[in-house]
Amino acid sequence: MGKKILVVDDSVSIRQMVSFTLKTAGYEPDEAPDGQAALNKAKATKYDMVFTDQNMPIMDGLTLIRSLRAMSNYARTPILMLTTEAGDDMKNKGREAGATGWLVKPFDPQKLLAVVSKVLV
């Protein structure tokens, strides 16, 4: 059985592309359109990894990361930001919130899978 990965992005096309990329590599992706929906799913299901966008309605990525890190079963789960935000300031905020790493959109499917295999052990 593949590892469960939650893909959080308000863009349907980005969610579909990331999910397709993960599925072809044998992972089990699940999707959420915003941070609040993702948090609700994370409370019901234990994911092995989370990809999150930053700029989303209802709850943004940094708030989601902080919320997940506050839950004991997500304290050590890899959480990667997948966003158009590439500035050092935003990367520092991501690190402070507890992000494991950072990928900039548009993403390269091979790079995305390389990062996944590196952080999922």
Side-chain angles (χ1 to χ4, degrees), residues 21-92:
T21 301
L22 293 169
K23 207 174 280 178
T24 57
Y27 298 106
E28 289 180 37
D30 193 3
E31 299 176 12
D34 61 67
Q36 187 59 58
L39 191 58
N40 294 343
K41 285 184 173 232
K43 287 177 180 172
T45 304
K46 174 65 174 109
Y47 294 98
D48 299 296
M49 183 175 183
V50 177
F51 274 106
T52 183
D53 186 19
Q54 166 53 19
N55 301 310
M56 299 178 288
I58 306 172
M59 182 190 291
D60 68 20
L62 292 175
T63 306
L64 172 62
I65 293 170
R66 284 189 208 96
S67 301
L68 288 172
R69 290 293 183 223
M71 298 164 56
S72 59
N73 57 338
Y74 282 95
R76 305 183 74 78
T77 302
I79 303 174
L80 294 173
M81 295 289 289
L82 179 61
T83 181
T84 54
E85 303 262 357
D88 288 340
D89 183 49
M90 188 50 88
K91 287 182 180 177
N92 288 334

Side-chain angles (χ1 to χ4, degrees), residues 27 49 78 80 100 111-121:
Y27 298 106
M49 183 175 183
L80 294 173
T100 308
K111 276 191 187 147
L112 183 127
L113 291 174
V115 170
V116 171
S117 64
K118 198 186 303 179
V119 299
L120 266 185
V121 278

Side-chain angles (χ1 to χ4, degrees), residues 5-9 12 15-20 23 29-33 37 41 47:
I5 300 176
L6 182 57
V7 180
V8 190
D9 200 303
V12 174
R15 286 198 314 265
Q16 288 173 339
M17 285 190 301
V18 174
S19 290
F20 177 78
K23 207 174 280 178
D30 193 3
E31 299 176 12
K41 285 184 173 232
Y47 294 98

